[in-house]
Amino acid sequence: MAPRGVATPDVRERLFAAAERVVERAGPGALTSRSVTTEAGCAKGLLHAHFAGFDEFVAELCLDRFARTAARARALPGLAGQGTVAGNLDSVVLALFDSGGPALSGLAMARPAAMARIRAALEGGAPGFAAIQEAVTGYLTAEQGLGRVAETVDPGTAALAIVGTAHHLLMTGWPGAPDPRPAMRRLVAALVDGG
């Protein structure tokens, strides 16, 4: 435990990672400001010193994880011609399910104030599913130009199907639900290999 008055480096990420571990281990019902700070090994008031409240913390956690995945997605067009198309897409789309993604999404949905903050941030331009979809479309278009995706595949429609399915699985998942990754892998393969 960090002593009082001593700066804690990378506070946001430390708290976010702690929250993900709590959710992964005990489910979203176990996530409280106290469980997060205990897991992070820091002072109980640290979360409230950096966030206006627990709803803001949950919203910022979700937005941060969306932004990370969107950043990975924006790198996709640079991978055109490398690896496999399905493998490159899997690395981005499956990242949405890492660290308790479905449980965190469910937690945010159960907290109206957190959802309102997330919605406002996305409407204000924060990266989310739309940014990921745009990047996937650009990537598939680039791969199509290289002949690695069939001409019969509509990149925009395939991207919508991939990202829409990921969104659906995130929003309808629950702790203990079947792992959504195999279904996502099959969908990606069917769309880009079976085009």
Side-chain angles (χ1 to χ4, degrees), residues 86-191:
N88 290 336
L89 288 170
D90 283 348
S91 72
V92 169
V93 177
L94 297 180
L96 287 165
F97 301 102
D98 291 343
S99 301
L104 289 175
S105 296
L107 175 67
M109 287 177 46
R111 301 185 71 87
M115 276 309 297
R117 285 178 181 275
I118 292 168
R119 188 176 310 109
L122 293 174
E123 288 171 358
F129 287 107
I132 297 167
Q133 181 180 336
E134 190 176 294
V136 170
T137 300
Y139 170 69
L140 290 173
T141 301
E143 290 287 21
Q144 202 169 49
L146 295 172
R148 292 180 11 124
V149 170
E151 287 297 320
T152 55
V153 172
D154 175 3
T157 302
L160 175 62
I162 291 166
V163 176
T165 300
H167 182 267
H168 167 74
L169 292 171
L170 277 169
M171 296 300 131
T172 59
W174 64 90
D179 185 356
R181 289 170 185 85
M184 280 305 309
R185 284 190 185 99
R186 287 191 303 274
L187 175 72
V188 167
L191 289 170

Side-chain angles (χ1 to χ4, degrees), residues 52-68:
F54 196 63
D55 286 322
E56 180 180 284
F57 173 77
V58 169
E60 290 297 318
L61 170 59
C62 290
L63 290 166
D64 181 80
R65 293 334 193 212
F66 281 150
R68 282 182 175 202

Side-chain angles (χ1 to χ4, degrees), residues 12-20 51 57 60-61 64-65:
R12 286 173 54 92
E13 182 52 36
R14 185 172 174 182
L15 293 171
F16 290 165
E20 289 175 327
F51 298 93
F57 173 77
E60 290 297 318
L61 170 59
D64 181 80
R65 293 334 193 212

